[in-house]
Amino acid sequence: MSFDPATLKFNDAGLIPVIAQEAGSGEVLMLAWMNAEAVARTLESRRVTYWSRSRAAFWVKGETSGHGQELVEMRLDCDRDCLLVQVRQTGPACHTNRRSCFYTAVRDGAEVELMQAEEF
Amino acid sequence: MSFDPATLKFNDAGLIPVIAQEAGSGEVLMLAWMNAEAVARTLESRRVTYWSRSRAAFWVKGETSGHGQELVEMRLDCDRDCLLVQVRQTGPACHTNRRSCFYTAVRDGAEVELMQAEEF
């Protein structure tokens, strides 16, 4: 069956949540959002392209930071309302210069920081 | 720093997206939603508890299907607007009886099914 981004289920803002996962290690890096055009651009260019809700603009991950994501595979879920992109991440995924945005754990009722910012 | 679910950033519906990942393999299983009370119940009971948007009710994963998720660790992201739960999943996570909800890949412009439903 051929894939058409318009067949995905977008929220009222026309967006779908996208989980980015490092293809090699399986580490979950971040969650961001795409509209249908960002999905199409990502598949076409193989450079993961989100929709920035704060800037209301396309966001080619790494275009300014150099910390881009090369698409290895895109998957969709059973409800067609969430995407998983398996990527090769260059540098840290997080704007805090940590490898993953999920660097804080909740342990015994307290927040514990798991990762240090990388140096550049 | 002690953790208070009320300090997370919820959307206009009072919900936060939650990525569930198998703790051992790193496989991403599903994305669902929690409100602040579901976050608290999950941490307290160690049984992952979502908010079902379709039923508008708490959803203790596996309570009816038996396919529950035991919480290994909860993490939050840099913006405090997404959670990652690393879990031990009993049986398939997906309501289609597949291990993960992300069983469809987009390859060369076509949808490709990667997993079979498990038999019970």
Side-chain angles (χ1 to χ4, degrees):
Chain A
M1 187 166 83
S2 75
F3 173 71
D4 178 354
T7 63
L8 296 171
K9 286 186 200 142
F10 298 93
N11 68 13
D12 291 345
L15 301 175
I16 187 169
V18 182
I19 303 160
Q21 179 183 36
E22 177 64 45
S25 66
E27 185 170 29
V28 174
L29 301 173
M30 56 187 283
L31 181 128
W33 299 79
M34 291 186 187
N35 58 16
E37 175 65 19
V39 174
R41 290 188 187 194
T42 296
L43 287 169
E44 173 69 19
S45 67
R46 312 300 288 182
R47 295 170 67 196
V48 178
T49 303
Y50 300 104
W51 179 259
S52 168
R53 295 176 300 171
S54 56
R55 293 186 289 110
F58 290 103
W59 167 28
V60 182
K61 175 75 177 155
E63 200 168 43
T64 52
S65 67
H67 303 152
Q69 295 177 338
E70 178 194 345
L71 183 68
V72 175
E73 181 154 281
M74 181 182 288
R75 297 188 183 174
L76 44 136
D77 79 346
C78 51
D79 293 329
R80 306 180 76 83
D81 64 0
C82 182
L83 296 176
L84 172 68
V85 289
Q86 297 178 321
V87 304
R88 274 187 282 268
Q89 170 74 48
T90 299
C94 185
H95 74 288
T96 66
N97 280 339
R98 290 174 178 86
R99 201 171 64 242
S100 160
C101 294
F102 295 95
Y103 56 83
T104 307
V106 180
R107 293 180 180 168
D108 298 325
E111 296 188 19
V112 178
E113 202 171 303
L114 305 175
M115 294 169 212
Q116 303 293 313
E118 298 176 23
E119 302 277 343
F120 291 94
Chain B
M1 188 166 84
S2 75
F3 173 71
D4 178 354
T7 64
L8 296 171
K9 286 185 199 142
F10 298 93
N11 68 12
D12 291 346
L15 302 175
I16 189 169
V18 182
I19 303 161
Q21 179 183 36
E22 177 63 45
S25 66
E27 184 170 30
V28 174
L29 300 173
M30 57 185 283
L31 181 128
W33 299 79
M34 289 185 187
N35 58 17
E37 174 66 19
V39 173
R41 290 188 187 195
T42 296
L43 287 169
E44 173 68 19
S45 68
R46 312 300 288 183
R47 295 171 68 195
V48 179
T49 302
Y50 300 104
W51 179 259
S52 167
R53 295 177 301 171
S54 56
R55 291 188 289 111
F58 289 104
W59 167 29
V60 181
K61 175 75 177 157
E63 201 169 42
T64 53
S65 67
H67 302 152
Q69 296 177 338
E70 179 194 344
L71 183 68
V72 175
E73 180 154 281
M74 181 182 288
R75 297 187 184 175
L76 44 136
D77 79 346
C78 50
D79 293 330
R80 307 180 74 84
D81 64 0
C82 181
L83 296 176
L84 172 67
V85 289
Q86 297 177 320
V87 304
R88 274 187 282 268
Q89 170 73 49
T90 299
C94 185
H95 74 288
T96 66
N97 279 339
R98 290 174 178 88
R99 200 172 64 243
S100 160
C101 294
F102 295 95
Y103 57 82
T104 306
V106 180
R107 293 180 180 168
D108 299 325
E111 296 188 19
V112 178
E113 202 171 303
L114 304 175
M115 293 168 213
Q116 304 292 313
E118 297 175 23
E119 302 277 344
F120 291 93

